[in-house]
Amino acid sequence: MPSTDSAGLGRGRALAFVAPALVLIGIFLVFPALWSIYIGLTDYTLTGPSSVNPQLVGTGNITGALSDPLFGNSLWLTLLFVFGSAMIGQNVLGFTLAWSLRGARRWLRRLVEGLVLLAWILPSTVVAYLWVAVLDRDGGTLNALLNTPGTAWLVQYPMASLIVFNLWRGTAFSMLLYSSALNVVPPSQLETARMVGAGRFSTLKDVVFPHIRGHVLTNTLLITLWTANDFTPFLLTSGGPDHRSETLPVFIYQQALGSGALGYASAISFLLLLVNLVIALVYLRLLRRRG
Amino acid sequence: MRLVPLLSLLVVVPLTVAGCVGKPADQNAGQNADVKEFTLTIGANALAGGKNENTAKWTVDHVIPKFVEAQKAKGVTATVRFEGNGADDKDYKTKVALDLKTGGGADVQEIDGIWLGEFAQAGQAKPLADLVGQDKVDAWDGWSKIPKAVAALGDFDGKRYGVPVGTDGRVLYFNKKLFAQAGLPADWQPRSWDDVLEAGQKLKTVPGVIPIQLNAGTAMTEATTMQGVLPLLAGTGKPVYDNGKWQGASRNLKDVLGLYQKIYSGGLGDPLLQQEAKGRDKSFAQFAGNKIGILLESDYFWRSVVNPANGVAKMTDRDTAVGWAKIPAQRAGSGVGGQDFVSMSGGSIRVVNPNTKYPRQAWELVQFMNSFDATKARVAGTPQITVRSDVNDDVLKGDPMLSYVSKEVLPITRYRPGLAQYTQISAALQQATADVVAGKSPDDAAAAYQQAAVKAVGEASVAVD
């Protein structure tokens, strides 16, 4: 009996401790998620009759999205953005920077790291407007540097501009992560590789990569999710011109608050969540295989 | 066992919280009618040092102190605050809609008249009679000074929701300096679309000049529809909404899109400018910098953009350098109602927020803001066509451009249909022009528009011819 009591007391006390956190999670996470799923099943709008009496449309929004060429366009652009700027771009550039700085002098390393990091720590709005100024057709820095007057980068090459922007901004995280990851590679193994005359590529592949595999996967997962959900493209191009840079988060915003189609936008948010889940599951599977 | 309390906490608490927010308050017409102390907020898309600066300054420097003073004379302590915004119209609309939806928002709101239908259908705007009582609404002497057609801007479904703040008209602006260089007359008045294109061809000979800037694309949102598609459609003889149906991929729409193609594929306009996120602002700056020959805009352009005193793209020589002409129909007599010239008008309205705690006082404030003195004070720095004929008689006489709009343009103008569906049709029209500017054929762009229109309003509500 006493053990039951103390166990009961323990449970009660534990509940009392976790309750505040649970309440907050409930209010700010669970409820919005459930609410979002619910309105994703309706034709709920921001104004007009459907904002008062939304009708259940079941999976109508999802099937509508799947047959909506603009959704397909956004999904494709999001994948392009993620693969171009994060999975490949930030990974490769971040690793290259970390690897090249490995043996560099301390002051040089600090300087480069500081400069790269600056891009990452500045607020998105600030860097976005900075880039709008850099890429501007009239008086933009890039046109002055490249001597390409009259090129409206954000209009003529919107996705390429976004990819370069995200690469510039996000590489810092990969670089930092790989800088610390490279510390786990035993110097003796690198030395051995050098002594047996292994090439740079095979040293990376056979000596370095097996040690930092976990870091690569973690980094890839994080930068993928950040990029897939990134809203900064809105600040640079608003998804334009003509939907040519409308990644999914921008598309969702345009549908929800631009057109007022809250139900449709919620359904698409759910699809974006699924895309994120698939990426996370693939990552977990790869990690498990490693284990 | 342990899961049950956890789950119930997770579900019950959020739902309880949800029940407490997001519901507009119930209202009765006499609520708090006799209080001796109240607080009100005025909301507008205006900001000191930013967008619609004059409205912001007028609200803070004139309306609030004078209204508070008037209340004090009655023995009432009033506190009035101004909630300024400097956002794009679309973003401002979203903010207001979200405010109203969640039971908040300024007590007196200035909104675009075209949003009224949507807000009213959602219960986010309510008839003045419901909020303050029919007798109180009818008792205002200001109604007699507002022409009926103008007052209708604040009506929806036969009910009065607010007081119009102002109206406007659209014309073709042209740069007289560039016209002189191109050998075009300073008193230019085109009589058909071909006349405009012909002038454009002549302007093309002036180096470094964009001959014609006709708003297009989705980045410019409603500016594309109001300062582009709608006046052009009216010039073909068919308004966007007629006999209970929205215009689909008709011959008229294809003609309009054909004109866009002639301008943007024919080297008369700058297609890149139309696709930039801030393209409209840039076109203002370029006109002021003598780089654009012809521009279709509302009188807002004259009084708030190139105004040498306080415009966002000041032209010190505005009064001599900027010319204006009526927008011609496609051909003489081909416009709506057989008109030779066409225009479109809009305007904002002031409404009382259904969530206000002090509906009677808010209505008093609205009346005060639309009184002769306050209206005159509002347009003192920048003359503007007001809804009050007594104020117009007084303030417009010194401004030839605004007098022209008031006398020559308003009699031939058209208003947009005050229906909730308009927003989606407008967005589809913007997309159609974006398609053409990006290189699609008018036929393909019209077909895509037809699809979007049918999706938005249903096949039965779209007329093809």
Side-chain angles (χ1 to χ4, degrees), chain B residues 52 168-175 213 215 227 280-290 292-308 310-315 318-319 321-324 382-384 399 401-402 405:
Chain B
N52 298 321
D168 59 5
R170 273 141 191 86
V171 295
L172 289 178
Y173 288 97
F174 56 94
N175 185 311
Q213 190 332 92
N215 287 321
Q227 272 99 242
R280 192 173 176 220
D281 295 339
K282 277 199 170 182
S283 71
F284 289 165
Q286 293 198 0
F287 188 97
N290 303 309
I292 288 179
I294 302 168
L295 175 69
L296 201 169
E297 263 297 339
S298 89
D299 59 70
Y300 164 79
F301 180 74
W302 172 263
R303 56 186 159 80
S304 294
V305 178
V306 290
N307 188 324
N310 46 19
V312 288
K314 297 181 183 68
M315 266 180 106
R318 174 195 72 172
D319 296 352
V322 180
W324 56 87
T382 335
Q384 182 178 343
D399 191 301
M401 198 277 145
L402 296 177
V405 173

Side-chain angles (χ1 to χ4, degrees), chain B residues 31-322:
Chain B
Q31 181 181 308
N32 288 328
D34 303 316
V35 290
K36 291 286 170 207
E37 196 172 339
F38 63 84
T39 302
L40 291 174
T41 317
I42 301 170
N45 196 11
L47 201 65
K51 186 169 184 167
N52 298 321
E53 185 180 11
N54 285 336
T55 303
K57 275 173 93 173
W58 165 73
T59 310
V60 174
D61 298 343
H62 180 92
V63 173
I64 294 177
K66 296 266 181 204
F67 180 73
V68 169
E69 202 181 301
Q71 291 296 318
K72 203 173 171 186
K74 292 198 297 183
V76 177
T77 309
T79 308
V80 185
R81 280 194 287 266
F82 176 59
E83 192 183 288
N85 294 273
D88 283 344
D89 292 345
K90 192 168 85 171
D91 295 336
Y92 177 65
K93 178 186 171 188
T94 303
K95 182 192 180 298
V96 173
L98 287 171
D99 281 351
L100 295 173
K101 209 178 175 67
T102 49
D107 301 276
V108 171
Q109 301 260 14
E110 188 174 327
I111 61 168
D112 193 317
I114 200 66
W115 306 339
L116 179 61
E118 291 170 70
F119 286 172
Q121 284 180 323
Q124 293 161 356
K126 288 202 171 143
L128 283 171
D130 294 0
L131 290 172
V132 297
Q134 188 70 54
D135 51 333
K136 296 277 173 200
V137 178
D138 293 342
W140 184 44
D141 61 355
W143 294 120
S144 64
K145 303 292 178 195
I146 304 175
K148 261 194 175 163
V150 178
L153 262 177
D155 295 351
F156 179 72
D157 232 1
K159 288 181 178 157
R160 185 149 281 174
Y161 281 76
V163 182
V165 176
T167 188
D168 59 5
R170 273 141 191 86
V171 295
L172 289 178
Y173 288 97
F174 56 94
N175 185 311
K176 287 185 191 170
K177 289 184 280 187
L178 298 178
F179 264 49
Q181 287 180 52
L184 288 159
D187 60 347
W188 182 64
Q189 176 56 70
R191 313 221 159 252
S192 66
W193 290 359
D194 285 343
D195 284 358
V196 178
L197 294 172
E198 204 177 296
Q201 292 296 348
K202 287 188 178 162
L203 284 162
K204 212 173 157 183
T205 59
V206 184
V209 165
I210 302 169
I212 304 171
Q213 190 332 92
L214 180 62
N215 287 321
T218 48
M220 303 206 188
T221 62
E222 190 63 8
T224 293
T225 329
M226 273 300 263
Q227 272 99 242
V229 183
L230 294 188
L232 294 176
L233 265 181
T236 66
K238 267 194 183 173
V240 69
Y241 185 77
D242 198 21
N243 290 326
K245 286 195 175 193
W246 297 96
Q247 200 170 151
S250 61
R251 183 71 261 152
N252 306 60
L253 181 71
K254 287 177 188 167
D255 283 354
V256 168
L257 296 174
L259 181 66
Y260 271 96
Q261 191 189 38
K262 279 180 192 158
I263 292 172
Y264 289 108
S265 303
L268 295 175
D270 178 357
L272 292 181
L273 184 63
Q274 300 307 311
Q275 299 173 67
E276 290 195 41
K278 297 278 173 205
R280 192 173 176 220
D281 295 339
K282 277 199 170 182
S283 71
F284 289 165
Q286 293 198 0
F287 188 97
N290 303 309
K291 297 264 185 250
I292 288 179
I294 302 168
L295 175 69
L296 201 169
E297 263 297 339
S298 89
D299 59 70
Y300 164 79
F301 180 74
W302 172 263
R303 56 186 159 80
S304 294
V305 178
V306 290
N307 188 324
N310 46 19
V312 288
K314 297 181 183 68
M315 266 180 106
T316 44
D317 56 354
R318 174 195 72 172
D319 296 352
T320 51
V322 180

Side-chain angles (χ1 to χ4, degrees), chain A residues 13-206:
Chain A
R13 202 177 273 173
L15 193 61
F17 278 118
V18 296
L22 284 176
V23 169
L24 290 177
I25 290 172
I27 292 171
F28 294 111
L29 209 68
V30 178
F31 171 66
L34 292 176
W35 180 249
S36 170
I37 291 172
Y38 163 67
I39 62 172
L41 299 171
T42 69
D43 64 354
Y44 192 50
T45 52
L46 189 62
T47 58
S50 297
S51 73
V52 192
N53 292 313
Q55 304 294 314
L56 272 175
V57 294
T59 54
N61 284 328
I62 300 278
T63 50
L66 295 178
S67 63
D68 181 350
L70 285 180
F71 171 76
N73 169 63
S74 289
L75 186 61
W76 158 244
L77 291 177
T78 309
L79 294 176
L80 192 69
F81 191 44
V82 165
F83 276 94
S85 64
M87 275 188 171
I88 297 172
Q90 290 179 13
N91 255 332
V92 171
L93 198 59
F95 181 81
T96 311
L97 274 172
W99 181 254
S100 341
L101 285 173
R102 212 169 26 109
R105 286 172 189 274
R106 195 183 155 86
W107 67 268
L108 181 67
R109 219 170 75 186
R110 289 273 181 270
L111 180 73
V112 175
E113 282 178 357
L115 283 176
V116 177
L117 201 62
L118 197 64
W120 194 59
I121 56 173
L122 280 173
S124 300
T125 329
V126 175
V127 287
Y129 284 113
L130 196 80
W131 273 82
V132 168
V134 169
L135 299 170
D136 192 42
R137 178 164 63 146
D138 313 304
T141 325
L142 192 62
N143 279 339
L145 279 176
L146 301 179
N147 196 21
T148 49
T151 308
W153 296 96
L154 289 170
V155 174
Q156 289 164 279
Y157 313 100
M159 269 322 283
S161 301
L162 290 185
I163 287 173
V164 170
F165 163 77
N166 197 39
L167 198 58
W168 172 82
R169 193 180 59 152
T171 295
F173 179 78
S174 301
M175 182 193 75
L176 285 181
L177 199 129
Y178 289 135
S179 287
S180 68
L182 288 174
N183 290 333
V184 304
V185 183
S188 59
Q189 288 190 15
L190 288 171
E191 182 65 14
T192 313
R194 199 180 60 82
M195 283 171 69
V196 299
R200 195 170 286 178
F201 179 72
S202 60
T203 307
L204 284 178
K205 184 167 119 352
D206 300 325

